[in-house]
Amino acid sequence: MDWATGRAKWWMLAGLLLAVTCWAQAPAPPKPSFAEPGISFDGSQIAFVSSGRIWIAPARGGPAHLVVNDSATEDRPLFSPDGKQLAFGSTRTGHGDIYAITLATGALRRLTWDDGADQLDAWSRDGRWLYFHTTSHDISGMNDVYRVSVDGGTPMPVAADRYESEFFAAPSPDGKSVAISARGIAASQWWRKGRSHLDEAEIDLVNPGEPPKYEPVMPMGAKQLWPMWSADGKKLYFVSDRTGPQNIWENTLGGAARQITQFTSGRVLWPTISGDGRTIVFERHFEIWRLDTRSGKAAPVAIQLAGAVAGPPLEHLSLTKDFRDMALSPDGMKVAWVARGQIFAASSKDGGEAARVTTSRGENGEIAWAPDSRRIAYSSDRDGAAHLFLYDFVARQETELTNAAKPDSQPRFSPDGKELAFIRDGKELRVLNLATHQERVVAAALLERPPLGSPRAFAWSPDGQWLAYLASGDRGFRNAYVVPATGGESRPVSFLPNAFSGSLEWSPDGTFLMFTTTQRTEPGEVARVDLIPRAPEFREQQFRDLFKEKPPTARGAAQAEPQKAAA
């Protein structure tokens, strides 16, 4: 073999090795997540949620087929006892209502019409009623338990204590009582790893009557959620973290509770039980798990999605409600808003047909207009973590502004429109120069992030030289701070104790800040911080001492002691 032939064969082998190496190191496709499983009464099938859609798979694993496919978010699918219907929650009409679909025909009907979110809990054993909890009729976001006929009609209260949260209802097999979780905020904080006293819950039996009678089953001291009945109605199964990690427990009524699963980590979520009480399915590590209640053995169910959603279907809709994140342009001529997760814009005077700004499959929002009224900035989670985008109405062009691994939120244009301030990961206040695309960290602090944060947690000074923001201090109390827009040392300008502040605004003349503030047991108030002193003895030297630099202009100065506005 001559040298040329040998070299050619070597390069062929090297190319083959390189190809094999590249193939071996190619990233695996993302694994789908499965959530909120509902097992059929006969234990043969599992309905679950993946990517906001509802699927059904064999209970022992295998291919899953798509049942409910809508651009809205669906949740908590539960089979009727006869297996012919599937009830579920959906955001297609707003905050969340309950629907039922006939599996043989696909016929869909809406069963609740509340202004607040309705969360489906269970079917009655005879298939006539659906139990759910809702915040629509109580105070301070607390839940009450209702039931509604599967044929529709007015929901009727089951457990509606005015000053106690009641949720996760499970009617007994004989229909004579209802097991519920009660107290605390676990209905909205079930996702939390670990617990505080705020999300501890008890389990009670509610016996109908006027008034209904409550019988305690499991006392406070832990998260105790999602009660489920045995077939004979003599036992309750539930999720508890009484010994640390979340596990499935059982309680023989009138006896002691016993832990069934022995997980030492992870979370056990959204369990349901078969009609014979022998099988419980639940969500754990973004998978569906199956538990044999007699042996205590639990294992994940192998499920493959058969026929994934190819893309959003083409729809022509006339939308007249369920809008949010509205933003009016500075010139008052245009208005932008979010509908079904997408951004639209129209004339603020005439309305009419709206122009669609975004077409991504992610959630878009937090709209901010540029001072020239020709551009908007907004956030979008189309890539996973939320990033910031810019849309130019003149050029009809979208530009991605940030692409960090951490989420970005709350874009705000500077008064001259040349820069954009935003919050990264709830920990940094940053400014992006739109011409150079260079970012700078202006302040590092304990800020907030969506969806829990305020939509106006910081503000530019009218001259664009300063930024004011709300942040938590060493003791967790939120107060106002001021920092130069170029970066530097932040200075506190309010000193309210026990405060949990919300939205902040800078006055148009730059002389004061106003923000909302509340305390744990007190109603919300409005606070004012005068940045230009009203007392004549407040000397210019005090500004120098406060900022340790050249005195700021009248629009950038900050007063050392805030003054709280009278209610």
Side-chain angles (χ1 to χ4, degrees), residues 82-331:
D82 62 9
K84 296 181 179 180
Q85 300 180 76
L86 196 70
F88 61 95
S90 176
T91 62
R92 65 187 66 193
T93 48
H95 292 289
D97 286 294
I98 294 172
Y99 293 76
I101 185 172
T102 301
L103 294 174
T105 64
L108 183 71
R109 60 191 183 281
R110 181 179 177 182
L111 300 178
T112 65
W113 306 78
D114 280 324
D115 293 331
D118 296 336
Q119 175 64 62
L120 180 63
D121 289 332
W123 286 80
S124 63
R125 186 61 63 93
D126 60 12
R128 296 177 54 198
W129 302 95
L130 285 165
Y131 287 74
F132 65 98
H133 63 270
T134 180
T135 61
S136 297
H137 311 294
D138 212 324
I139 62 173
S140 300
M142 292 191 290
N143 287 277
D144 295 321
V145 173
Y146 282 75
R147 71 174 186 173
V148 64
S149 170
V150 71
D151 297 320
T154 302
M156 296 181 291
V158 175
D161 191 304
R162 186 63 171 170
Y163 300 104
E164 181 176 306
S165 192
E166 299 159 311
F167 47 97
F168 296 158
S172 62
D174 61 10
K176 294 181 179 180
S177 61
V178 179
I180 64 168
S181 294
R183 304 185 187 276
I185 60 173
S188 59
Q189 200 159 280
W190 52 266
W191 46 264
R192 177 178 177 145
K193 182 178 180 180
R195 69 170 188 270
S196 72
H197 67 283
L198 294 176
D199 45 32
E200 292 181 356
E202 65 187 32
I203 292 180
D204 297 323
L205 294 185
V206 182
N207 298 298
E210 289 295 338
K213 297 180 180 179
Y214 290 77
E215 178 184 343
V217 176
M218 291 297 298
M220 296 283 284
K223 276 185 181 176
Q224 293 169 137
L225 309 174
W226 298 295
M228 300 165 284
W229 289 90
S230 62
D232 58 9
K234 296 180 179 181
K235 292 181 181 180
L236 279 175
Y237 297 91
F238 56 95
V239 173
S240 178
D241 61 357
R242 185 166 293 275
T243 56
Q246 291 182 352
N247 277 283
I248 300 288
W249 288 61
E250 72 172 10
N251 178 276
T252 300
L253 298 182
R258 180 179 70 91
Q259 183 175 328
I260 299 179
T261 58
Q262 304 299 323
F263 298 124
T264 58
S265 63
R267 293 175 296 168
V268 176
L269 306 171
W270 301 106
T272 56
I273 193 167
S274 60
D276 60 10
R278 295 181 178 181
T279 305
I280 292 176
V281 295
F282 54 91
E283 174 189 342
R284 183 171 185 264
H285 293 328
F286 303 102
E287 296 179 304
I288 306 302
W289 284 62
R290 189 168 181 263
L291 167 68
D292 185 319
T293 58
R294 294 168 296 180
S295 67
K297 294 181 179 180
V301 181
I303 295 175
Q304 304 85 39
L305 301 184
V309 182
L314 181 63
E315 295 179 280
H316 296 277
L317 303 174
S318 178
L319 303 178
T320 59
K321 61 180 181 178
D322 300 326
F323 301 154
R324 61 178 179 81
D325 285 9
M326 187 201 72
L328 184 67
S329 63
D331 62 10

Side-chain angles (χ1 to χ4, degrees), residues 36-82:
E36 302 180 59
I39 192 167
S40 61
F41 188 78
D42 63 5
S44 65
Q45 299 183 94
I46 299 173
F48 62 93
V49 175
S50 183
S51 300
R53 274 75 171 176
I54 295 177
W55 307 70
I56 292 179
R60 295 191 177 276
H65 63 274
L66 189 61
V67 178
V68 180
N69 178 22
D70 189 85
S71 58
T73 298
E74 326 291 3
D75 60 41
R76 198 51 167 164
L78 298 176
F79 284 97
S80 61
D82 62 9

